[in-house]
Amino acid sequence: MNPYISLIRQRSFWIPVLVLALFDLCLQTGVYRPYLKKGSFAANVIRNTDYVLEKRAEFEPTILLLGTSVAHQGLSLKTLNETLEPYGEKIQSIAMEGTELVVQDALVRNLLPKFPKVHTVLHILEISTPWVDQEDLQIHTLAMLGELDRRLAFPLIYEFNYNVRYDDLGFLAFKSIAYRRDIRDFILDPSKRLKDISRRKKEAKLTPWPHENTNLPSISMFPEVIDIKSCLKITNPGNGAAAPAGSDQFHKKAIWDTCGLGATKTPVKVERTKQVNNYFHRLKILHNDIRQVGLENGQKIKIIGVIAPYSEIIKNWRSPDRNRIWEEEIAKIDPTTVLLDYQASLDGKNNGDYYYDLIHLNKAGMEKFSAIFSADLPSILGLTRKK
């Protein structure tokens, strides 16, 4: 007899299978979601989406901010809303850390139908992203997709041209797989996790938007960092050097990580590659879905793309050819899309004071960039003051 057939005929084989199936069904109900590790991608997407929906009754937006951590950290919703208040407009953010376009699409399709007054989406874009776009699904992308509508996630990963593997499908289908590392950490140190959960519930929620950047450290705390080569040497976590006053080892490593992106992963020579074409294919799906949901809401949504500023240390990422490709591809997607270039908006002798690392702004940078952008925003939106 075939040994596999013999195995599945044994009752002892089905007992652990049944236990695992029941355990996964229990996780599918969402019973574990409140206990997810704080700061994990899955927990972040739950917290942010739940929060903007919870605040909808008192703060229903007419404008949505979309993007990755660059948008999440880089724009002050307080400043933008103070600017928009005289015009009767409100802006809410669904920008989140680590969100590839497929996750942004899932966020739009889950949240935008619930905000029927939204007439404009500000999409914060990063000039380098098409040249480093992912072909394989990353764990953090799967984790976020799994906490949104999974029925939507399965067709989306194929529509967005990912190389889908069986373990990717398993991650989306089974919570026992998606939560395995989180549950392991919970078992190893349950008291720490329970304390985190208790503190989280006591945190004061003072604003109607989910986040405002409070990071104080800056690149200028490392004055010898003047280019990629010096950055990799000085901020290397393995060099044993202490972080300067005001910084710490997490900040030092964040700078080093983004310097690594500048050194090896983002090409200075600009060409239309398979990755570039795939990125704009994905961007077209996202923008088309924004417009489609808008029409279902009774709105003809205007999309405004904003190319965010990066540190002057990676100034060689800026080039006329890269800008031209962006302009051409955005026009192909929809010629009505507005594309605004803010890459040089924070250039100057104080540039290092505004950046937490080479890509993300700190609190001072957020305030500076928000002031610049909000001054332009009424004219960008074509607003007139309410009487």
Side-chain angles (χ1 to χ4, degrees):
M1 181 183 289
N2 187 305
Y4 295 108
I5 295 175
S6 176
L7 176 64
I8 64 175
R9 284 182 174 179
Q10 295 179 32
R11 183 179 296 177
S12 59
F13 170 80
W14 289 104
I15 291 173
V17 171
L18 181 61
V19 169
L20 287 172
L22 291 173
F23 178 62
D24 196 81
L25 286 172
C26 181
L27 293 176
Q28 300 279 359
T29 66
V31 68
Y32 188 73
R33 292 181 94 199
Y35 304 100
L36 286 167
K37 185 187 294 185
K38 182 180 179 181
S40 69
F41 286 103
N44 285 345
V45 78
I46 293 167
R47 185 188 73 249
N48 289 338
T49 54
D50 286 355
Y51 192 74
V52 297
L53 291 174
E54 175 190 325
K55 293 294 182 180
R56 179 177 53 177
E58 65 182 84
F59 190 82
E60 185 168 0
T62 57
I63 301 166
L64 277 185
L65 181 69
L66 180 66
T68 67
S69 53
V70 171
H72 186 68
Q73 304 281 10
L75 283 168
S76 165
L77 271 290
K78 178 178 181 292
T79 300
L80 297 183
N81 276 296
E82 286 173 352
T83 299
L84 292 171
E85 186 177 7
Y87 304 92
E89 304 285 349
K90 293 180 179 179
I91 181 168
Q92 180 60 281
S93 175
I94 58 171
M96 296 182 204
E97 302 101 318
T99 52
E100 294 184 45
L101 293 179
V102 66
V103 178
Q104 294 177 38
D105 190 81
L107 286 165
V108 163
R109 291 172 68 170
N110 276 274
L111 295 175
L112 185 54
K114 299 176 176 68
F115 297 114
K117 293 183 180 180
V118 169
H119 56 71
T120 301
V121 171
L122 294 175
H123 194 188
I124 308 303
L125 302 164
E126 300 162 53
I127 196 71
S128 65
T129 311
W131 286 265
V132 293
D133 204 32
Q134 299 290 335
E135 294 183 349
D136 298 317
L137 284 158
Q138 306 299 303
I139 291 292
H140 67 271
T141 297
L142 289 166
M144 288 186 280
L145 285 173
E147 297 308 322
L148 296 165
D149 188 342
R150 286 183 299 149
R151 294 168 300 177
L152 178 65
F154 285 105
L156 271 184
I157 59 177
Y158 288 101
E159 189 179 0
F160 275 68
N161 281 348
Y162 281 100
N163 298 326
V164 181
R165 302 185 300 266
Y166 287 116
D167 54 339
D168 298 329
L169 298 175
F171 195 106
L172 288 176
F174 300 105
K175 289 296 184 186
S176 53
I177 295 175
Y179 292 167
R180 64 191 186 277
R181 295 178 182 175
D182 197 287
I183 293 171
R184 178 200 63 192
D185 293 344
F186 187 88
I187 292 170
L188 291 175
D189 196 351
S191 61
K192 181 179 182 298
R193 183 69 66 82
L194 291 171
K195 286 177 184 176
D196 286 342
I197 293 164
S198 177
R199 279 196 293 265
R200 204 182 313 171
K201 288 182 177 180
K202 294 177 183 177
E203 287 177 356
K205 298 181 179 180
L206 303 175
T207 65
W209 44 85
H211 180 73
E212 196 86 355
N213 190 347
T214 58
N215 290 328
L216 298 177
S218 66
I219 293 175
S220 58
M221 292 174 176
F222 297 83
E224 294 176 334
V225 172
I226 55 174
D227 53 26
I228 293 293
K229 185 177 179 181
S230 60
C231 178
L232 290 171
K233 179 182 178 181
I234 291 163
T235 64
N236 188 334
N239 65 14
S247 178
D248 56 33
Q249 292 300 325
F250 296 104
H251 176 227
K252 180 182 173 185
K253 185 178 184 300
I255 299 175
W256 185 72
D257 287 339
T258 52
C259 284
L261 290 174
T264 59
K265 295 188 178 180
T266 304
V268 175
K269 186 178 180 181
V270 178
E271 296 176 335
R272 288 182 184 271
T273 64
K274 179 184 175 183
Q275 282 177 299
V276 171
N277 293 334
N278 204 34
Y279 175 85
F280 288 109
H281 162 75
R282 293 168 175 176
L283 187 64
K284 181 177 181 179
I285 295 171
L286 170 57
H287 283 190
N288 287 348
D289 283 345
I290 291 170
R291 291 186 172 95
Q292 180 58 41
V293 175
L295 291 175
E296 292 167 4
N297 283 346
Q299 299 281 358
K300 189 174 181 181
I301 289 182
K302 182 178 183 179
I303 299 175
I304 299 174
V306 180
I307 300 180
Y310 279 171
S311 164
E312 284 193 271
I313 293 172
I314 44 177
K315 199 171 183 177
N316 60 358
W317 285 8
R318 308 176 201 170
S319 75
D321 287 339
R322 207 185 296 272
N323 292 348
R324 176 181 50 78
I325 289 172
W326 267 99
E327 291 163 3
E328 290 174 357
E329 294 298 330
I330 290 291
K332 285 180 191 176
I333 292 170
D334 193 304
T336 67
T337 301
V338 177
L339 185 64
L340 306 173
D341 187 351
Y342 280 84
Q343 293 177 78
S345 58
L346 299 180
D347 284 0
K349 64 179 182 179
N350 297 323
N351 183 260
D353 295 340
Y354 301 135
Y355 288 86
Y356 181 80
D357 54 35
L358 269 62
I359 293 174
H360 302 98
L361 297 174
N362 57 17
K363 186 175 186 291
M366 175 198 69
E367 291 172 348
K368 180 75 171 179
F369 181 47
S370 298
I372 293 169
F373 183 64
S374 63
D376 298 339
L377 195 53
S379 61
I380 291 167
L381 296 172
L383 298 176
T384 54
R385 287 177 179 264
K386 289 184 70 176
K387 293 182 181 179

